[in-house]
Amino acid sequence: MILNTFGKLPKGQQRKGLRASPNYSQGAFQNLEPTTMMAADASYFKIMRSFFLKQKDTQPKQPLQFSKTDLKAMDKSLSSIVWFGHSGYFLNLKGLTILVDPVLSGHASPLPGMVKAFPGTDLYQAEDFPDIDLLVITHDHYDHLDHHFFSQIRSKVRRVVCSLGVGAHLRHWNLDAERLTELDWQESFETAAFKITARPGRHFSGRGLIRNQSLWSSFVLKTPDEKLFLGGDSGYGQHFKTIGDLDGPFDLAILECGQYNANWPMIHMMPEQTVKAAKDLKAQVLLPVHWGKFKLALHPWTEPAERVLAEANKTGQALIFPAIGECFPLTKKTTAYWWRQH
C-alpha cells in the first residue's frame, strides 16, 4: 500500500511523448529561468540540521476550530470558494464545481506519521463532496497530490486536468484514461462551461528520488463570468509578468505565500514576492495559500499571513483571507483575520 502511494513514473510511450515537450531536456523538465533547489551557501546537512533545532511557533498551540460548509448545498447562483488549508480548495462557480490540489488524508507525505496536518484542519471526507466537474492537479508533490484521498474521490470526478506527466500516477491509481487530460505549458482544455490553460511555474516535481519527470504548472481558468489564476507552487520569476500581459487582468489570483526559507529562495516565494506576483498578474484580488495546515518550513505558522497582509497594505493590493472550511463568496471582502483568534 505504501509503495502504491509513491505513484509511477512515465515509461515507454508515455515517456517518449514527454521528451517531445519543448520544456523537457537533459532527461528532465526544466524551468524557464535558471533555478536551483538550494541557495549557493546552503547544503542538505545545513537544512536538515535546522529542522532538528527547536523553532518557535511553527505550529498552533491548540487544535484549530473552524466551521464546516455543506459543499453539496452551496448556492449555485453565486461564485464561492472553500479553502481547506495549504493549497487545496473547492470552487463553486455558479454551479460549476472545481477541486484543486486536495490533500485531505491528514498528512502530506508517503507515511501517515510524517508531515501531519495541524489538528482541526482536516474537516472534510470524500463523502462530503458533490460530483466534481473538474479536478485540477498542479504537480505531483505530496502536499498537492494525495493518493489516499484521490482514490476516494475518483469516482465523483468527471474530468481531471493535470500537468504533463502527472497522469502516470493517476492512471496507476486506476483513473480512466478518457477522463484524464494532461497539459504542457501553453496547452488548453475547453468545454462549453470553462477553458483551462496550463502556464509556467518555477518549481520542481517528484515523489521519490528521481525529480522532474513530470511538469509543474500554474493554470488560467476562464468561465463566462470569471477569470482566475491558479498558481500551484512557484518561486518568483519573470513568468508572472508574462502571464499577466498575456492573460490578465484576473478577478482572483490564488498564490502561494508560505513554506519559504532563505535556503531555497528560487522554488517558493517570500510573502512580499507573492504580492509582487499578484501585481504582475494584474490581479484584482489575491488569495494567499500554501500555509495554515502543514509545517514544511521553519517560520512561525502565522507569519506568511502577517507578512503578505503588511505588504498588501503598503502596495494597495486587495486580498482575501477565508477561514479554513468557510464558504467565501468571491465578491466578499475579508472582515476578520481568523488566525489571530487562535
Side-chain angles (χ1 to χ4, degrees):
M1 185 67 175
I2 291 177
L3 289 177
N4 201 33
T5 300
F6 285 97
K8 191 173 185 179
L9 293 174
K11 292 184 178 180
Q13 287 299 115
Q14 295 174 13
R15 189 176 181 190
K16 185 177 180 180
L18 301 186
R19 289 172 175 170
S21 167
N23 304 300
Y24 191 95
S25 66
Q26 302 176 10
F29 284 101
Q30 305 292 331
N31 284 290
L32 296 180
E33 300 178 56
T35 301
T36 59
M37 297 297 103
M38 298 184 296
D41 61 346
S43 68
Y44 284 109
F45 174 77
K46 176 182 175 182
I47 292 172
M48 292 304 298
R49 184 180 61 179
S50 66
F51 273 90
F52 283 102
L53 299 175
K54 186 173 178 59
Q55 307 290 333
K56 187 177 180 181
D57 298 328
T58 57
Q59 301 186 61
K61 292 182 173 62
Q62 302 293 333
L64 300 177
Q65 301 294 319
F66 300 105
S67 60
K68 184 177 178 180
T69 296
D70 185 344
L71 302 177
K72 298 178 181 178
M74 292 173 67
D75 190 340
K76 294 183 179 180
S77 69
L78 299 176
S79 290
S80 303
I81 188 169
V82 176
W83 179 50
F84 304 125
H86 203 64
S87 294
Y89 47 92
F90 174 79
L91 292 162
N92 169 33
L93 303 180
K94 296 182 173 67
L96 177 69
T97 54
I98 300 171
L99 184 59
V100 180
D101 287 354
V103 177
L104 297 172
S105 63
H107 57 94
S109 66
L111 300 175
M114 299 173 59
V115 196
K116 293 189 290 186
F118 297 159
T121 60
D122 265 336
L123 306 178
Y124 294 90
Q125 306 297 322
E127 57 265 26
D128 296 320
F129 286 81
D131 289 341
I132 305 298
D133 294 312
L134 175 64
L135 171 63
V136 180
I137 304 295
T138 62
H139 64 294
D140 73 354
H141 283 158
Y142 291 98
D143 59 324
H144 292 257
L145 177 55
D146 181 344
H147 162 249
H148 181 69
F149 183 73
F150 174 80
S151 298
Q152 293 179 324
I153 201 75
R154 180 183 57 225
S155 63
K156 293 189 174 187
V157 177
R158 296 188 176 99
R159 171 63 51 181
V160 179
V161 169
C162 63
S163 299
L164 187 63
V166 176
H169 300 305
L170 307 183
R171 285 187 291 269
H172 181 60
W173 298 334
N174 300 315
L175 178 68
D176 304 329
E178 60 267 22
R179 288 190 286 153
L180 174 64
T181 300
E182 298 181 71
L183 298 179
D184 201 348
W185 293 342
Q186 323 309 344
E187 292 181 341
S188 299
F189 175 80
E190 187 170 6
T191 70
F194 67 87
K195 179 179 180 181
I196 185 166
T197 303
R199 296 296 189 208
R202 191 181 188 189
H203 198 54
F204 68 108
S205 67
R207 295 172 73 84
L209 298 177
I210 302 175
R211 287 178 172 169
N212 298 351
Q213 297 306 300
S214 63
L215 201 54
W216 48 95
S217 304
S218 59
F219 289 91
V220 174
L221 176 66
K222 296 180 183 179
T223 72
D225 299 307
E226 289 101 3
K227 188 192 302 181
L228 278 60
F229 182 78
L230 317 179
D233 277 2
S234 179
Y236 183 76
Q238 176 63 33
H239 62 285
F240 287 117
K241 186 176 188 309
T242 301
I243 295 167
D245 290 342
L246 182 64
D247 298 304
F250 291 95
D251 299 298
L252 176 69
I254 304 173
L255 294 170
E256 64 143 272
C257 77
Q259 317 316 320
Y260 47 82
N261 190 285
N263 287 320
W264 52 85
M266 295 186 185
I267 55 175
H268 286 297
M269 287 189 281
M270 300 294 178
E272 294 76 18
Q273 293 176 315
T274 301
V275 176
K276 182 171 175 54
K279 290 289 189 181
D280 289 348
L281 290 164
K282 305 174 186 176
Q284 295 182 23
V285 179
L286 164 64
L287 167 55
V289 298
H290 208 244
W291 72 285
K293 185 169 185 172
F294 299 113
K295 174 191 171 184
L296 297 171
L298 300 174
H299 53 68
W301 77 275
T302 62
E303 184 183 280
E306 294 291 355
R307 284 178 60 175
V308 80
L309 177 60
E311 186 68 15
N313 287 338
K314 289 179 185 177
T315 63
Q317 173 65 54
L319 45 69
I320 57 174
F321 278 110
I324 295 174
E326 176 186 9
C327 178
F328 200 96
L330 297 187
T331 56
K332 181 181 175 181
K333 295 182 179 180
T334 296
T335 57
Y337 303 120
W338 62 266
W339 63 91
R340 293 177 178 174
Q341 310 306 315
H342 293 280

